[in-house]
Amino acid sequence: MGSVFYVLIALLIGTNLNAFALMGIDKRRAEKHRWRIPERTLFLSALLFGGLGAVLGMRVFRHKTKHWYFAVGMPVILLAQLALLGFLLKEFVL
């Protein structure tokens, strides 16, 4: 496991922290009736391998859980990312 592995792990952690934070920021802005983060941005943060952070952010902040496209879409994105990660680990690491 070379330095590329550690860089990828750091990027995954950062991307997931970003997706988590965006959910929290958007929830706070919604409560204060302020300018909101576009839904497109929230989905993009999940698609850029921040699926876990987005799903956790939805649960922790109780945000966007009543919107079916978030309640279904975010977990589907996470599952697809986990499947891809499993495939990559199987093919290139194990």
Side-chain angles (χ1 to χ4, degrees):
M1 293 205 263
S3 61
V4 172
F5 176 77
Y6 295 111
V7 169
L8 289 175
I9 294 297
L11 286 171
L12 281 173
I13 291 170
T15 304
N16 280 284
L17 286 174
N18 179 61
F20 182 83
L22 285 175
M23 285 291 179
I25 292 166
D26 193 52
K27 174 68 175 194
R28 177 168 288 186
R29 288 181 178 177
E31 292 170 343
K32 294 184 176 191
H33 305 286
R34 298 173 107 185
W35 175 83
R36 304 284 300 281
I37 296 171
E39 290 180 348
R40 179 184 312 168
T41 302
L42 297 175
F43 267 104
L44 183 60
S45 70
L47 285 169
L48 295 173
F49 292 94
L52 179 61
V55 169
L56 288 176
M58 284 177 60
R59 302 294 180 241
V60 168
F61 301 115
R62 296 182 186 169
H63 190 49
K64 300 284 188 187
T65 57
K66 293 183 180 178
H67 298 274
W68 72 266
Y69 45 93
F70 275 88
V72 173
M74 292 297 183
V76 167
I77 290 170
L78 175 58
L79 289 174
Q81 290 172 354
L82 290 173
L84 177 61
L85 180 62
F87 171 77
L88 292 174
L89 286 173
K90 180 182 170 199
E91 290 296 317
F92 298 107
V93 177
L94 301 177

